Amino acid sequence: MNIWVTNDIIKWSLRLCCRRFPWKRTSIPVLASIKDSSLSRNGFTGFWGGRLNQSCLSGTLSTTRFYSYGEKHNEGLKDGNSLATENSLSTDELNKTTSEQSQRTSPFLELLRRCSSPSDVLDLTSKYAPTNRQISQCLSRMWFSTKKMSDEQRRYELQLMFEHPEFENLLQRATRSIQYMGNEDVAYSLLSVVNLGVAQHSRVIQTFLRTCQERLNDFDEKALSMLASVLERMKASQNVNALKEGMRLVVEVRLPEIQNVLTLQTMMRLLGRDAPRELRQKLERKALSMSDQFSLPNAQHMTFIMAAVGFHSKPLLKVCSDKIKENLHHIPFNILYNIMQSYKELLYRDTDLLTSISDHVASTFDIWTDKQLVFFLSAFKDLLFCPTSLMEPYTEKVIANPDALTLKHLMSVLATYSSLNYDLRHQRQAFLDSLSHALISYLPKMSELELLKAAYYLCGMNHFPSALLEQLLSSSTLEQLASTSLTKSKERMFQRVDICLRLDRPPLPQPLIVPPSVLGSPTPNPSVNPRLSNSLQRVLADQANATLQEMLVVENFYVIDAVVTKPLPNQPCVTETSSVSPAESSQRIAVIYTPNSSYCFGTSQPRGALTLQIRHLKILGYTPVLVTEELLQSLSEEEMTEKLRGLIFPEDASETQPQVGHVES
C-alpha cells in the first residue's frame, strides 16, 4: 500500500477520534440545564430528547440555532463541525477509506442482522465502532426490530433503548457522521429516529432536518419518498414547514420525471391536503397518466390516500374502483371495509363496485364472521346503498339464530334495516319478531339511550314491541333521560316515536303516550323552494278547480312543500244541496321536494325518514308526489312545468306521459 495513503488513513482515523471532543463539550450545557434529577437517574439525556422528557427539554432545545431557512443555518453546526470542515478529506481519499472500512467491518453487518431489539443493536455498537454508512443501518435496524412487536413489548423495548448508556453515543455519532452519509442514508436515518420516538426538537433530529434542507435538490425519487413519509409523521415547526415547502417546489418541478407509482402516492399524501389547486391538478393528471401501471395494492393505497387528504378526483377513483372490482376475491376484510369507509369520506359511490362487493360477500357468505357481516351492512348503510343480494341471506341468518347477535350488533342491524327500507316481503314478520326476541333479552342491560334508539328504529319499520316501549316510557327511564340534557337528536327520536304511536295506532296492551316534556319544540321552520313554487304556480294557472297551499306543516312534524287540492275525476261538483262533502269529493296531492340522499343510491327507493313520511301522509289522506333534487336541477322551467302537470294531473296528460316521481297510494 502506498505510504502516503497509509499516512492519510491514520490521520483521518485520528481526526475522527478527536472530533468527538467538541461535541462532548457542546452537550455539557444542555445536560446541565435539565432540572429533573429523575431523568438523569434513568439515563435520559438532553441530546436526543426522548418523548418521555419532551416537556423538560422544551425550554432548552426549542430555542436553539437549529431553526433556520436561509444561509445562517450553517452557523448552528459550526461549533460541532469546525474540525471536520477544516480537515475534510478529498473525495478520492474518502472513497478509498470507506471501501477499506467496509471490507474490514463486513462481519459487523452479519452481527447487525441478528439483532432482534434496539438494545441488541446498542450492545453491538458499544463493542464495534460502526462506519458512517453502518450508523444509518444501525438506526434502521433498531426501528425495524420493533415493527413486529406487540404494543406492550414495543413500549418496553423502547424504554430500555432510552435508558441504554450507548443510545446517546450512537446519536452523537450519527450527528457527526451526517455530512458523510448518502442522501438515502440521511432520509432513512431521519425516518428511523422519528419512528423510534426521539423528540422532534432534539439536536439530532434538527440537524438531520437542516441537512435535508441543504441537500433537497440532490435527493432522488427514493430519498424524496422517504423524506415525505417522515415529514407526514412530524408536527409543524419552522424546519418541518420549510422542508415541506421545499418539497412542494421540488416535486412540482420534477413531477414529469417521477416513474414510480408508490413515490407519486407518497408525494400526494404529503402535499395533497395543503397543495394549491394547480398542483393538485398536476398530481391528478400525473396519476391518471400512470394508471396503467396500477397494481391492486396501488389502487387500494390510492383510495386511502385520497380519503386521507380530501383529494376528490372522480376519474382517478373510477380507475381504482375498476381495479378493485376485478380483484375482489383477493382483498381481505379489513382492506375491503376501509375502501368502503374511504368512499364514505370522499362522498363517492360507484354502483357497479358496491353491487359487486354485495354480490361477492353474499356468494362467500359462510366465510365471514358475524362481526364482519354487521360491519359490511353498516358500511353499506353509510353509503346509502341497499345491498339486496347480501341482505336476503343475512335476514335468513337472523331468523334462524337471533340469539347470536350481541347488543352492539343488534343495534347496528336495526339501524341498517330501518335506514335502507329493505323489502322483507314474506319474511317481514319473522324477521321483526326475531329482532324483538333478541332485544327483549337485552332489556335489563340496555341504557336509556339504547332503549330510545331501538324504539326509534323499530317504529320506523312499523313495529312496536310493547315491552321495549313500556320500559322506554316508564317514569324512571324518562326521569333518567331528563336528568341529562336532552339534545336535539334525542328530542327528534322521541318525536318520531310519538307520531308513530299517534298515527300508526299499534295494538298495544295499554295505551302509551310520549310526554310533552321530552318532545322539545317540534315545530319546523320551513322555507319555500323558489323553483318548485314557480313551476307549481304555472301548472295551476289554467286549473280553475284546483287550489294550492305552500309549506304546510302537518301534525306539527311533517313539512309538505305544497298541497294541491283538486276535485276527484268523474265526481259531480259539490253544491250547497249535495250530500257529498268537499273532503270526500276532492283529492289532496302532497308535493314533496326530496334530496338525492332521501333515496337508496342508484334507485328510486325511498329510505329513512322519507319512507316514514310517505306512510303517514297516506294515513292522513294525502297522495304523495315526490319531486327529486336531480329532476329539479336537470330540467328547464318549461320541462319542469310539464313534468309536474303530468304528476299532479295525470288525467290531463297524454297516455305516453311518464309518471316519474309519483307514489301510488
Side-chain angles (χ1 to χ4, degrees), residues 38 61 75 89 112 134 227 230 238 247 294 321 341 344 358 361 372 392 436 453 457 460 464 539 552 585:
S38 64
L61 290 179
E75 298 175 4
L89 291 174
L112 184 62
Q134 289 168 352
L227 183 58
V230 68
Q238 288 181 314
M247 282 200 65
F294 282 14
S321 295
Q341 292 298 105
K344 174 190 172 184
S358 174
V361 177
Q372 289 171 337
E392 183 174 352
S436 298
K453 286 183 176 180
Y457 298 139
F464 303 89
V539 169
L552 188 67
S585 62

Side-chain angles (χ1 to χ4, degrees), residues 146 148-155:
T146 65
K148 294 184 179 180
M149 296 179 180
S150 64
D151 291 341
E152 184 177 354
Q153 184 184 3
R154 186 182 301 110
R155 284 193 296 269

Side-chain angles (χ1 to χ4, degrees), residues 540-559:
L540 269 68
D542 55 355
Q543 298 288 337
N545 297 326
T547 60
L548 174 66
Q549 288 179 284
E550 295 188 275
M551 305 315 296
L552 188 67
V553 178
V554 178
E555 293 291 323
N556 208 28
F557 187 77
Y558 294 118
V559 177

Side-chain angles (χ1 to χ4, degrees), residues 52-172:
L52 298 178
N53 67 333
Q54 284 186 19
S55 60
C56 297
L57 294 175
S58 60
T60 59
L61 290 179
S62 60
T63 57
T64 60
R65 296 181 294 271
F66 292 98
Y67 299 109
S68 173
Y69 291 89
E71 295 179 356
K72 291 183 179 180
H73 66 271
N74 289 326
E75 298 175 4
L77 285 178
K78 188 173 181 180
D79 58 346
N81 292 343
S82 57
L83 288 179
T85 304
E86 295 169 3
N87 302 310
S88 59
L89 291 174
S90 68
T91 303
D92 292 338
E93 291 172 332
L94 181 58
N95 289 340
K96 290 179 182 179
T97 304
T98 304
S99 176
E100 291 184 16
Q101 286 178 335
S102 178
Q103 292 175 6
R104 290 196 305 270
T105 59
S106 56
F108 179 88
L109 298 180
E110 182 59 32
L111 294 172
L112 184 62
R113 293 188 196 98
R114 299 176 186 175
C115 295
S116 59
S117 70
S119 297
D120 290 345
V121 177
L122 294 173
D123 290 339
L124 181 63
T125 59
S126 66
K127 298 176 183 178
Y128 303 94
T131 64
N132 298 328
R133 176 70 188 275
Q134 289 168 352
I135 288 174
S136 175
Q137 292 171 324
C138 288
L139 293 171
S140 298
R141 183 60 191 170
M142 292 169 69
W143 170 42
F144 281 120
S145 68
T146 65
K147 291 181 69 174
K148 294 184 179 180
M149 296 179 180
S150 64
D151 291 341
E152 184 177 354
Q153 184 184 3
R154 186 182 301 110
R155 284 193 296 269
Y156 176 73
E157 291 294 343
L158 291 179
Q159 179 73 19
L160 293 179
M161 178 193 74
F162 289 139
E163 296 175 352
H164 200 289
E166 189 63 23
F167 187 45
E168 182 176 354
N169 293 335
L170 179 61
L171 295 186
Q172 287 179 352

Side-chain angles (χ1 to χ4, degrees), residues 358-427:
S358 174
D359 294 343
H360 165 63
V361 177
S363 64
T364 55
F365 191 80
D366 292 335
I367 72 170
W368 308 103
T369 66
D370 291 340
K371 182 178 181 180
Q372 289 171 337
L373 290 171
V374 170
F375 272 48
F376 273 130
L377 289 173
S378 180
F380 280 119
K381 179 204 70 172
D382 292 339
L383 290 166
L384 312 183
F385 180 82
C386 184
T388 305
S389 58
L390 172 60
M391 294 186 80
E392 183 174 352
Y394 190 79
T395 300
E396 296 173 355
K397 182 181 178 70
V398 171
I399 293 173
N401 187 16
D403 294 329
L405 288 168
T406 65
L407 177 58
K408 185 177 180 179
H409 293 168
L410 177 58
M411 297 299 293
S412 182
V413 171
L414 286 171
T416 300
Y417 277 77
S418 176
S419 173
L420 296 179
N421 188 30
Y422 171 66
D423 186 7
L424 292 162
R425 297 188 295 276
H426 63 279
Q427 295 179 314

Side-chain angles (χ1 to χ4, degrees), residues 589-610:
I589 308 294
V591 181
I592 309 168
Y593 170 74
T594 55
N596 295 333
S597 59
S598 296
Y599 300 87
C600 291
F601 178 71
T603 71
S604 59
Q605 176 182 330
R607 55 167 292 274
L610 180 58

Side-chain angles (χ1 to χ4, degrees), residues 112-358:
L112 184 62
R113 293 188 196 98
R114 299 176 186 175
C115 295
S116 59
S117 70
S119 297
D120 290 345
V121 177
L122 294 173
D123 290 339
L124 181 63
T125 59
S126 66
K127 298 176 183 178
Y128 303 94
T131 64
N132 298 328
R133 176 70 188 275
Q134 289 168 352
I135 288 174
S136 175
Q137 292 171 324
C138 288
L139 293 171
S140 298
R141 183 60 191 170
M142 292 169 69
W143 170 42
F144 281 120
S145 68
T146 65
K147 291 181 69 174
K148 294 184 179 180
M149 296 179 180
S150 64
D151 291 341
E152 184 177 354
Q153 184 184 3
R154 186 182 301 110
R155 284 193 296 269
Y156 176 73
E157 291 294 343
L158 291 179
Q159 179 73 19
L160 293 179
M161 178 193 74
F162 289 139
E163 296 175 352
H164 200 289
E166 189 63 23
F167 187 45
E168 182 176 354
N169 293 335
L170 179 61
L171 295 186
Q172 287 179 352
R173 291 179 191 174
T175 310
R176 291 196 299 268
S177 303
I178 190 172
Q179 59 184 319
Y180 307 116
M181 291 183 184
N183 292 334
E184 285 189 17
D185 290 336
V186 171
Y188 262 124
S189 299
L190 178 59
L191 182 63
S192 299
V193 293
V194 169
N195 287 332
L196 286 170
V198 177
Q200 183 173 317
H201 60 256
S202 61
R203 173 180 289 241
V204 61
I205 287 185
Q206 294 301 321
T207 304
F208 271 100
L209 287 173
R210 286 185 35 215
T211 303
C212 290
Q213 290 180 31
E214 296 171 2
R215 300 188 187 183
L216 192 57
N217 286 328
D218 300 324
F219 273 25
D220 60 12
E221 194 172 300
K222 186 175 181 181
L224 283 173
S225 178
M226 286 185 289
L227 183 58
S229 297
V230 68
L231 290 178
E232 187 185 18
R233 305 171 189 222
M234 300 184 73
K235 296 179 180 179
S237 68
Q238 288 181 314
N239 274 336
V240 170
N241 294 342
L243 259 181
K244 285 184 177 180
E245 178 62 20
M247 282 200 65
R248 185 185 69 78
L249 298 173
V250 170
V251 170
E252 191 166 5
V253 172
R254 294 194 196 174
L255 197 57
E257 304 171 10
I258 294 179
Q259 300 298 322
N260 185 278
V261 175
L262 188 57
T263 300
L264 176 64
Q265 291 176 332
T266 305
M267 302 304 172
M268 291 177 68
R269 187 176 65 239
L270 177 69
L271 306 174
R273 186 172 294 280
D274 301 322
R277 182 179 179 182
E278 184 178 351
L279 179 55
R280 291 166 72 94
Q281 291 174 343
K282 289 181 180 179
L283 290 169
E284 178 186 16
R285 288 195 294 270
K286 181 64 177 179
L288 289 172
S289 70
M290 300 174 69
S291 60
D292 58 335
Q293 303 177 34
F294 282 14
S295 63
L296 176 60
N298 290 148
Q300 296 167 355
H301 195 45
M302 183 65 78
T303 304
F304 300 150
I305 289 172
M306 294 176 74
V309 302
F311 195 100
H312 297 268
S313 169
K314 287 187 177 181
L316 195 52
L317 282 167
K318 179 63 177 173
V319 170
C320 297
S321 295
D322 291 342
K323 178 64 70 172
I324 292 168
K325 183 172 59 178
E326 294 168 3
N327 297 275
L328 280 175
H329 286 83
H330 302 289
I331 304 177
F333 165 77
N334 59 329
I335 299 294
L336 196 53
Y337 178 75
N338 287 333
I339 289 172
M340 298 174 73
Q341 292 298 105
S342 297
Y343 277 12
K344 174 190 172 184
E345 293 293 326
L346 292 167
L347 301 178
Y348 176 78
R349 299 175 185 88
D350 184 320
T351 307
D352 292 339
L353 177 61
L354 294 176
T355 302
S356 297
I357 295 176
S358 174

